[in-house]
């Protein structure tokens, strides 16, 4: 297995790298600072510097992975942004940071990474139930919600483009104890990532384009 994880300096991305390395996979992973790159090196991954909000950095990735063919691509990098409780308008810079990371980043990377996928590869974006319109009962974090709803649209369009070439899904990792999820979250990263790895490993072509919970159950958009 040859795996690429985008945004793996800490949290769920780093846990994906640790678990895939444990099972003996070849892993290439990205981080945007030296601390993150050192963590990836220590796990035996090929570590590449990438800031998904930087067009030049994203454009340089293709050359860095030239000749590689990935069986699994996980686009994990994400930010939450302002922790609003109601309809508090984000500052322009907050809006740009969240949308550039969570939406424009994948829109820059997915077209170029499609060419680096092995036939029948699996492609996952880390989305969130918070982006689902169905059954929404809170508007807390509305900028993050809007960004993940947009990411779900990006995944749907990517799935249309890659039909028959890769199985593409949006994954909800659960509410996980990372810097983003906080100490009060329900799941350990190890458990969430173990579930998502199992879900990814057992994907069938019928699940192409789906929105899935970490345990593989389908989620409404
Ligand atoms: N934790 C949860 O409960 C939860 C729930 C639903 C969905 N998710 C999603 O799961 C994914 C991972 O979340 P997490 O909990 O692991 O979050 P986290 O602990 O905050 O880690 C976020 C990761 O994204 C990277 N990143 C942020 N901006 C980046 C940029 N511009 N370029 C490259 N990498 C960047 C961070 O790198 P740096 O170290 O350089 O900042 C870090 O590796 C995110 O997409 C998140 O939205 C998480």
């Amino acid at each position: 297995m040859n795996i690429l994880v985008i945004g793996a300096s800490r949290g769920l991305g780093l846990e994906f790298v640790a678990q895939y390395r444990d099972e003996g996979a070849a892993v290439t992973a990205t981080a945007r600072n030296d601390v993150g790159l050192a963590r990836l090196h220590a796990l035996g991954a090929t570590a590449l510097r990438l800031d998904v909000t930087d067009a030049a950095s994203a454009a340089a990735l293709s050359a860095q992975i030239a000749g590689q063919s990935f069986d699994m691509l996980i686009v994990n990098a994400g930010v939450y942004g302002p922790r609003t409780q109601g309809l508090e308008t984000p500052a322009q810079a907050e809006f740009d940071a969240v949308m550039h990371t969570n939406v424009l980043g994948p829109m820059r990377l997915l077209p170029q990474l499609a060419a680096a996928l092995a036939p029948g590869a699996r492609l996952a974006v880390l989305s969130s139930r918070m982006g689902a319109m169905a059954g929404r009962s809170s508007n807390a974090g509305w900028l993050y919600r809007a960004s993940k709803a947009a990411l779900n649209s990006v995944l749907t369009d990517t799935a249309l483009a890659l039909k028959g070439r890769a199985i593409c899904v949006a994954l909800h990792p659960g509410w996980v104890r990372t810097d983003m999820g906080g100490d009060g979250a329900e799941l350990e990263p190890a458990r969430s990532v173990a579930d998502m790895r199992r879900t990814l490993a057992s994907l069938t072509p019928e699940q192409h384009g789906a929105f899935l919970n970490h345990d593989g159950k389908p989620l409404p958009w």
Side-chain angles (χ1 to χ4, degrees):
M1 281 270 277
N2 195 18
I3 294 168
L4 175 60
V5 185
I6 302 294
S9 63
R10 55 195 166 93
L12 296 171
L14 188 65
E15 185 65 27
F16 269 117
V17 175
Q19 292 195 18
Y20 278 124
R21 287 294 299 142
D22 273 353
E23 71 172 38
V27 180
T28 300
T30 76
R32 56 179 173 168
N33 60 39
D34 291 341
V35 175
L37 291 167
R39 287 188 191 131
L40 297 173
H41 276 303
L43 291 171
T46 300
L48 303 177
R49 191 182 294 272
L50 171 66
D51 181 336
V52 304
T53 63
D54 179 334
S57 176
L61 186 64
S62 293
Q64 292 179 288
I65 58 167
Q68 291 223 60
S69 178
F70 295 103
D71 306 296
M72 183 88 72
L73 166 62
I74 298 171
V75 179
N76 172 79
V79 291
Y80 190 91
R83 297 207 172 247
T84 51
Q85 292 305 320
L87 304 187
E88 297 143 61
T89 302
Q92 181 77 50
E94 291 172 329
F95 181 88
D96 289 350
V98 173
M99 288 296 186
H100 288 186
T101 307
N102 297 0
V103 188
L104 181 55
M107 291 177 90
R108 280 191 178 120
L109 293 170
L110 290 169
Q112 49 169 315
L113 293 178
L117 294 176
R122 279 107 209 267
L123 181 164
V125 297
L126 267 286
S127 181
S128 171
R129 264 192 113 144
M130 287 182 70
M133 237 72 80
R136 194 178 289 187
S137 58
S138 162
N139 57 16
W142 70 329
L143 175 54
Y144 179 75
R145 290 176 187 278
S147 76
K148 292 300 187 181
L151 177 62
N152 285 350
S153 173
V154 166
L155 184 277
T156 299
D157 290 336
T158 302
L160 283 172
L162 298 186
K163 192 165 170 34
R165 288 173 54 198
I167 304 179
C168 304
V169 292
L171 286 179
H172 171 61
W175 183 25
V176 193
R177 284 193 281 281
T178 61
D179 293 337
M180 186 186 293
D183 293 339
E186 286 164 358
L187 290 176
E188 286 294 343
R191 167 70 198 285
S192 167
V193 168
D195 282 357
M196 289 190 283
R197 283 174 48 240
R198 209 173 303 115
T199 295
L200 288 168
S202 61
L203 284 180
T204 63
E206 292 67 41
Q207 290 170 301
H208 179 61
F211 185 21
L212 300 176
N213 199 26
H214 55 97
D215 60 7
K217 295 203 179 77
L219 291 172
W221 301 102

